[in-house]
Amino acid sequence: PLFDPTVYCLAQLRSRNLAANTIRNRAYSILALLLASEAAGINLTDRVGEAKPLTLPEFQLISRYCRFSVDDLRLLASSGYALSSATTKMAYITGLKPMAAATFRIRLDDVWAYVVWLYEMAMSRHKDPSPEYRRLGDGLKRLRRYRKVLKLGRRRTTIGQREGLSPEAKDLLLQAISPDSSINPFKGTFCRSRNLVVVLLGLKLGLRPGEILGLDANDDLDLVERTLMVRRRADDPSDRRPEQPNAKTRDRILRFDEETARAIETYLKY
């Protein structure tokens, strides 16, 4: 494995107890940065090692390449295509499709954070007021200005995003998922009882699928107080699932109503 990306993922991402998928996605962003730098003819390792700051046009050039998937970037790096000033023109020439704007913004923010870390680590190897230290410091100032110029940040828009079920759809779902419903598509009392619990936990408490699958009846549920705990935990050696589910965000305790409590009690009898 590459040294700098590995250290970054362990020291900056894994140490913050981020979800495995989050770390993987950010590692892919770093891979995209390395491929984009190669396609743009910029050796990022040499530039940082020589204490030479990236210019705004260079960062913009790299960012245009980062709009493509990792597989497409590998193709671009091996094909020798020169990037035009417009990403859409290049996509037309190569037949490649850039990623969605929202996804690109997240990737570019990950790329920016990694490049800033590279410069900070390089600065730690020099002493103030050496010329290298000052050049790297100047590079960091430029990178922070680039963030404002490129308007980076994980801003999200609600336009076109998925929405929750309408009240009518919720009522229909609860009617269909009832174990005694004639329109319940599932067979068997165990399956119907389990699915009712899953739907109630999702609808009423907003639990993610991985959080529901990761609940432990002995440690996380309190049917007397009607509470459950959502928490991240290490992999269980006794769990036979190849990819064990886990909570995505911070731990929390949630209280559920009587209907959910009855559904959980019925399910646990099986």
Side-chain angles (χ1 to χ4, degrees), residues 5-232:
T6 301
V7 173
Y8 178 78
C9 289
L10 292 175
Q12 300 296 312
L13 305 181
R14 186 67 183 90
S15 63
R16 292 161 54 193
N17 199 29
L18 296 178
N21 284 339
T22 300
I23 296 176
R24 181 182 62 184
N25 290 338
R26 296 191 181 182
Y28 265 105
S29 294
I30 296 173
L31 176 58
L33 166 65
L34 298 178
L35 292 171
S37 300
E38 180 182 353
I42 299 171
N43 191 318
L44 190 59
T45 302
D46 288 348
R47 293 294 295 274
V48 175
E50 296 170 2
K52 294 181 179 179
L54 287 173
T55 65
L56 179 57
E58 287 175 332
F59 197 83
Q60 289 176 320
L61 184 64
I62 292 174
S63 70
R64 292 193 188 104
Y65 274 104
C66 283
R67 293 207 66 164
F68 298 94
S69 69
V70 168
D71 291 337
D72 289 346
L73 283 169
R74 286 195 177 102
L75 177 62
L76 286 171
S78 62
S79 63
Y81 275 111
L83 183 63
S84 68
S85 58
T87 303
T88 53
K89 182 179 179 181
M90 182 178 128
Y92 174 77
I93 295 173
T94 61
L96 304 180
K97 183 179 180 181
M99 63 175 56
T103 307
F104 168 63
R105 181 176 293 277
I106 293 174
R107 171 179 284 183
L108 199 56
D109 202 45
D110 293 339
V111 164
W112 179 87
Y114 176 70
V115 175
V116 166
W117 177 82
L118 284 178
Y119 274 87
E120 290 174 344
M121 291 300 100
M123 284 185 68
S124 67
R125 295 190 286 268
H126 298 281
K127 293 183 179 180
D128 188 17
S130 68
E132 294 83 1
Y133 185 92
R134 292 184 175 180
R135 287 200 299 269
L136 289 167
D138 180 61
L140 273 176
K141 292 179 181 179
R142 292 187 184 186
L143 284 171
R144 293 190 173 100
R145 288 199 298 268
Y146 300 165
R147 183 180 177 86
K148 295 180 180 180
V149 172
L150 298 174
K151 299 180 180 179
L152 300 182
R154 295 174 184 268
R155 297 176 298 169
R156 296 185 178 181
T157 176
T158 58
I159 299 176
Q161 288 189 345
R162 293 176 297 176
E163 298 180 358
L165 296 176
S166 65
E168 296 79 10
K170 289 181 180 179
D171 291 341
L172 181 59
L173 175 59
L174 290 174
Q175 178 186 350
I177 207 65
S178 172
D180 301 325
S181 174
S182 60
I183 61 174
N184 192 319
F186 301 99
K187 306 298 181 183
T189 54
F190 169 78
C191 185
R192 291 187 173 194
S193 298
R194 177 201 62 194
N195 293 344
L196 176 62
V197 172
V198 170
V199 170
L200 291 177
L201 292 178
L203 279 180
K204 297 192 174 186
L205 300 184
L207 296 189
R208 300 179 176 91
E211 294 170 341
I212 296 174
L213 293 172
L215 290 174
D216 188 303
N218 296 320
D219 296 335
D220 299 334
L221 288 176
D222 187 337
L223 293 176
V224 177
E225 298 293 333
R226 294 181 187 169
T227 60
L228 62 83
M229 177 179 288
V230 178
R231 54 182 171 177
R232 291 184 58 79

